[in-house]
Amino acid sequence: MSQIELNYLVFDDDPEAINQYHNKIKISGCLITPIVINPIDFYDADTNEFVVDDFKTEIIQKTKGRNINLIITDWNILDKDNEFPGIKGWDIIEWVIETKEKWKSRTFLIYSSDIKKASDYVLQKIKKEIEEQPDDIIPSLEFIREIIELKIKFCKRDEQRFEEIKTLLKQSNTISNVVLDSLISFDENTIVNTGNSDYDGKKIADILDLNHQDIGGLKFIREFIELSIAHYSNLNE
């Protein structure tokens, strides 16, 4: 019996991270694939800048054709100096969502050796936005709205985080995710002979339009499942 594929994105500057996740994250019946990206690779020391566009391109290339079940990031990526603002886990989350907005529905796990500093950062960011617009409270609540909308969890950067990752991956292993993952694996295939002009001659990726999921893509998934079951089953009299 084939295994269920579960993929998760990891943003970590530790060169040993890839080995740790391969060795310590295992779930029976599942093929676990960590997609590890080191944000430091996109920091240009000569200009003292982080090349965001290249970072986003790397995300797109490494996740092409894969359904992402979980996104995790270290909190302390790059320290700030007099001219560089530094990079925190929240920056990574914002860039990830800008890259693929549909990932807003995923769970984000942030880990840090000092959780208090990470939570203080979030609180200070909220306070700063409110102070900058004291006479217009609605725009200042934009960051709070984002925090509420996203599913974000914090944990310490220790051995326990591996158990937390396994728990979150298991929770993401839903019927809808399994179906979506299977369809994505054939995203470049062209649909033929369904008799429906809305589908025939089109690639699965174009029908689903995963970056802007709409009712058309959902109808295709439903009809495809119905056709498959009708073709490979008998109605019990």
Side-chain angles (χ1 to χ4, degrees), residues 4-34:
I4 298 297
E5 183 177 353
L6 298 176
N7 308 299
Y8 63 104
L9 262 175
V10 182
F11 299 96
D12 199 312
D13 61 346
D14 182 356
E16 290 299 315
I18 184 66
N19 294 326
Q20 291 177 336
Y21 290 114
H22 272 302
N23 295 331
K24 297 186 178 183
I25 307 297
K26 299 182 185 297
I27 300 175
S28 177
C30 297
L31 176 63
I32 310 296
T33 304

Side-chain angles (χ1 to χ4, degrees), residues 111-152:
Y111 53 84
S112 172
S113 56
D114 191 338
I115 293 297
K116 186 177 184 303
K117 283 187 177 180
S119 60
D120 285 346
Y121 173 92
V122 173
L123 292 174
Q124 288 301 317
K125 190 171 178 67
I126 293 172
K127 181 180 178 181
K128 180 180 178 182
E129 290 193 356
I130 293 175
E131 289 176 346
E132 287 178 348
Q133 299 180 4
D135 299 324
D136 192 356
I137 193 65
I138 299 302
S140 70
L141 295 179
E142 181 69 15
F143 180 74
I144 299 176
R145 182 187 62 78
E146 290 180 358
I147 289 287
I148 294 174
E149 283 186 352
L150 298 176
K151 292 181 287 187
I152 300 177

Side-chain angles (χ1 to χ4, degrees), residues 37-149:
I37 296 176
N38 186 345
I40 303 298
D41 293 340
F42 304 92
Y43 171 70
D44 187 333
D46 293 333
T47 61
N48 198 24
E49 294 179 344
F50 186 78
V51 188
V52 177
D53 288 343
D54 289 352
F55 177 65
K56 292 180 178 180
T57 298
E58 180 76 354
I59 294 174
I60 292 171
Q61 290 177 345
K62 282 201 168 185
T63 60
K64 186 177 182 180
R66 293 182 180 274
N67 182 41
I68 300 301
N69 299 83
L70 174 68
I71 300 167
I72 69 178
T73 180
D74 187 16
W75 180 257
N76 296 299
I77 302 297
L78 276 171
D79 293 330
K80 67 177 181 179
D81 59 28
N82 292 333
E83 297 179 352
F84 183 69
I87 297 175
K88 300 297 184 185
W90 182 258
D91 300 308
I92 298 295
I93 290 175
E94 288 187 328
W95 290 327
V96 166
I97 293 173
E98 288 173 7
T99 303
K100 289 192 177 182
E101 188 177 359
K102 70 185 182 73
W103 285 342
K104 287 179 72 173
S105 64
R106 300 297 184 264
T107 297
F108 294 85
L109 178 66
I110 297 173
Y111 53 84
S112 172
S113 56
D114 191 338
I115 293 297
K116 186 177 184 303
K117 283 187 177 180
S119 60
D120 285 346
Y121 173 92
V122 173
L123 292 174
Q124 288 301 317
K125 190 171 178 67
I126 293 172
K127 181 180 178 181
K128 180 180 178 182
E129 290 193 356
I130 293 175
E131 289 176 346
E132 287 178 348
Q133 299 180 4
D135 299 324
D136 192 356
I137 193 65
I138 299 302
S140 70
L141 295 179
E142 181 69 15
F143 180 74
I144 299 176
R145 182 187 62 78
E146 290 180 358
I147 289 287
I148 294 174
E149 283 186 352

